[in-house]
Amino acid sequence: MAYELPALPYAFDALEPYIDAKTMEIHHDKHHAAYVTNLNKALDGHADLQSKPIEKLLADLDSVPEPIRAAVRNNGGGHMNHSMFWKIMKKGGGGEPKGELAEGIKSSFGSFADFKTKVNDAGVKRFGSGWSWLLVKGGKLAIESSPNQDNPIMSGGKPVMGVDVWEHAYYLKYQNRRPDYLEAWWNTVNWDTVADYYAAAKK
Ligand code: MN3
């Protein structure tokens, strides 16, 4: 069974004015679609690997034959990362998390404001393309950035929230202003789905 591009769970313009419709259309229909196509191409003839859930595939890259490992890492990572990214945003998102997630953030990072600053900082300092992550590792919440399409699951972590800082995520509206994009991005967050990822990551 080949990997499939999930439908965007809202309209292209749902995240306006923070993320413009054209960016969302190209990001989902072209970039994410290409990761899925190229992942399936790399895994052609490897039915055992293609039948794995994407998170299982990426948690054990050593089981992927060396000649296709980089393609699986990059395109599989792109597929998993974007599948989460669409779900943790929504129309009318933003505000602050509640419940256990809010408590976890407070006890790990001091305050919600400090947490935001750290996530933004990880994203701004990531040279070139990558992601800023909230993750659970060793039972604790942490903030890290990753290069390219790497996902925390590739190094023993569990992703809770990932912010795409590739230029394709913001260039049409923000050009070189990655910090402005990151600041605006918080207005799109779907804290309910981030809380679901947190609950799953703690298990
Ligand atoms: Mn992207």
Side-chain angles (χ1 to χ4, degrees):
M1 175 81 181
Y3 291 98
E4 283 175 12
L5 179 68
L8 196 66
Y10 34 73
F12 294 129
D13 66 358
L15 307 179
E16 294 266 14
Y18 309 109
I19 304 179
D20 61 283
K22 194 71 191 166
T23 294
M24 289 302 292
E25 181 180 351
I26 296 170
H27 201 173
H28 177 271
D29 288 8
K30 304 293 182 196
H31 290 278
H32 189 172
Y35 296 127
V36 174
T37 299
N38 291 326
L39 175 63
N40 286 326
K41 222 178 262 177
L43 290 175
D44 192 30
H46 299 274
D48 53 323
L49 295 174
Q50 254 193 356
S51 64
K52 283 188 175 185
I54 188 68
E55 60 276 10
K56 291 248 165 30
L57 179 71
L58 299 180
D60 188 17
L61 281 170
D62 288 347
S63 71
V64 176
E66 201 279 328
I68 60 168
R69 196 175 298 148
V72 169
R73 180 182 195 129
N74 291 332
N75 293 291
H79 177 39
M80 180 168 169
N81 295 349
H82 290 87
S83 296
M84 169 189 257
F85 192 55
W86 313 133
K87 285 196 273 189
I88 61 166
M89 300 187 287
K90 68 170 185 179
K91 187 178 181 69
E96 296 192 15
K98 294 184 214 112
E100 281 190 37
L101 177 61
E103 286 160 30
I105 285 172
K106 209 172 166 189
S107 65
S108 302
F109 309 112
S111 69
F112 181 70
D114 290 336
F115 161 71
K116 259 180 74 170
T117 301
K118 287 188 170 105
V119 171
N120 287 351
D121 208 42
V124 168
K125 286 183 178 156
R126 167 52 52 192
F127 184 77
S129 299
W131 292 73
S132 179
W133 297 100
L134 175 66
L135 63 143
V136 171
K137 201 169 187 177
K140 290 198 174 96
L141 275 171
I143 293 164
E144 288 175 6
S145 76
S146 71
N148 308 314
Q149 293 296 353
D150 281 4
N151 184 287
I153 207 156
M154 296 173 185
S155 48
K158 290 184 179 170
V160 174
M161 182 185 94
V163 194
D164 192 341
V165 297
W166 282 57
E167 283 188 344
H168 69 222
Y170 62 86
Y171 202 84
L172 292 182
K173 186 176 171 78
Y174 297 94
Q175 292 83 47
N176 61 319
R177 303 187 313 277
R178 189 186 288 184
D180 292 354
Y181 154 70
L182 278 164
E183 196 52 47
W185 182 80
W186 295 95
N187 294 296
T188 71
V189 183
N190 181 343
W191 288 113
D192 291 336
T193 53
V194 177
D196 291 344
Y197 278 107
Y198 181 48
K202 281 197 303 178
K203 277 182 192 157

